[in-house]
Amino acid sequence: AQTVTQSQPEMSVQEAETVTLSCTYDTSESNYYLFWYKQPPSRQMILVIRQEAYKQQNATENRFSVNFQKAAKSFSLKISDSQLGDTAMYFCAFIGVYGNKLVFGAGTILRVKS
Amino acid sequence: GAVVSQHPSRVICKSGTSVKIECRSLDFQATTMFWYRQFPKQSLMLMATSNEGSKATYEQGVEKDKFLINHASLTLSTLTVTSAHPEDSSFYICSARQQGPNEKLFFGSGTQLSVL
């Protein structure tokens, strides 16, 4: 069974600074997708970034980038130039290409301070 | 981008009644949809996986007779909470899977269920 672990329940960062959220996962599958989702107070789940396991290049989306270490089964999210609107709960998630379950980590509450 | 519509967004019902929640993929066909339950400040707990035209696969500990899932078409899945009780009060979220080279999962806006 796949598991996703986020070891940081809460984090804070000053506006304009950089913060990294950690995520590790466990799977026996070789081909899968990893995601970071953001859930603001509205509770709408918003896709932040996705990574395909067969791609070695780390995904980037504007201020958001990942450090994907397949051998270590690590998938951290870096947020650069943090903004107040980045305040939210962030979830790391996994799904196998041929799998049928999207598994979430416990989440990390990120607070951006002015 | 792809949109998933979920409604109602909020429902209040009396104990013992049934409540149906709809999840629609508006501009893509979703062969797989997921139903989650979320308690305040906690993660999404997968309840069941719904595949079009077949029976849903429930996670361990989720009562299939209590939470009826129907995925009758490639764009619609429904979750019916039968004989609801106060302990069923929660936030329910659906997700639709867009498979292919640009694999993505899109989420509905969620339904807050309150059972009195």
Side-chain angles (χ1 to χ4, degrees):
Chain A
Q2 291 87 6
T3 59
V4 177
T5 303
Q6 292 179 251
S7 58
Q8 304 152 314
E10 296 189 28
M11 292 192 74
S12 297
V13 64
Q14 284 297 126
E15 201 174 3
E17 293 188 347
T18 296
V19 64
T20 298
L21 308 184
S22 301
C23 173
T24 58
Y25 59 95
D26 190 23
T27 183
S28 57
E29 298 189 45
S30 59
N31 208 3
Y32 47 87
Y33 299 97
L34 294 162
F35 305 88
W36 277 97
Y37 283 93
K38 166 185 177 180
Q39 189 180 41
S42 68
R43 296 193 289 187
Q44 173 69 57
M45 295 289 283
I46 301 166
L47 177 64
V48 174
I49 201 164
R50 66 189 285 274
Q51 174 79 43
E52 295 148 1
Y54 60 88
K55 287 188 176 179
Q56 291 187 339
Q57 187 173 8
N58 289 325
T60 62
E61 286 287 341
N62 301 313
R63 299 183 294 108
F64 300 90
S65 62
V66 297
N67 183 3
F68 174 48
Q69 301 289 327
K70 190 172 184 179
K73 293 180 181 168
S74 171
F75 183 61
S76 60
L77 174 69
K78 185 171 85 171
I79 305 175
S80 303
D81 186 25
S82 298
Q83 300 175 0
L84 295 177
D86 295 333
T87 292
M89 192 147 182
Y90 287 80
F91 293 101
C92 179
F94 167 103
I95 190 166
V97 169
Y98 302 108
N100 217 22
K101 277 189 188 184
L102 177 62
V103 180
F104 284 89
T108 297
I109 297 172
L110 175 67
R111 294 187 178 86
V112 180
K113 300 178 179 178
S114 58
Chain B
V3 176
V4 173
S5 172
Q6 182 178 344
H7 68 92
S9 59
R10 181 177 295 272
V11 58
I12 301 172
C13 69
K14 292 182 179 180
S15 187
T17 60
S18 294
V19 174
K20 181 185 282 189
I21 302 169
E22 288 191 353
C23 180
R24 291 180 185 272
S25 57
L26 297 184
D27 54 1
F28 68 99
Q29 294 182 331
T31 52
T32 303
M33 289 187 177
F34 304 95
W35 286 95
Y36 293 88
R37 185 172 181 175
Q38 187 180 30
F39 293 104
K41 296 188 178 180
Q42 293 188 23
S43 187
L44 281 71
M45 181 185 76
L46 180 64
M47 299 175 65
T49 302
S50 162
N51 291 296
E52 186 266 338
S54 62
K55 290 184 179 180
T57 302
Y58 290 82
E59 293 301 299
Q60 193 172 9
V62 177
E63 299 175 59
K64 60 180 69 176
D65 295 330
K66 161 71 103 172
F67 300 100
L68 299 179
I69 292 172
N70 184 281
H71 194 157
S73 77
L74 286 170
T75 59
L76 174 64
S77 178
T78 60
L79 167 67
T80 301
V81 182
T82 62
S83 186
H85 289 284
E87 58 265 29
D88 299 325
S89 298
S90 188
F91 189 65
Y92 294 87
I93 309 177
C94 71
S95 175
R97 183 176 188 179
Q98 183 180 44
Q99 290 183 279
N102 293 312
E103 172 96 20
K104 288 183 182 177
L105 292 108
F106 298 94
F107 286 82
S109 54
T111 298
Q112 179 64 51
L113 171 63
S114 299
V115 185
L116 304 178

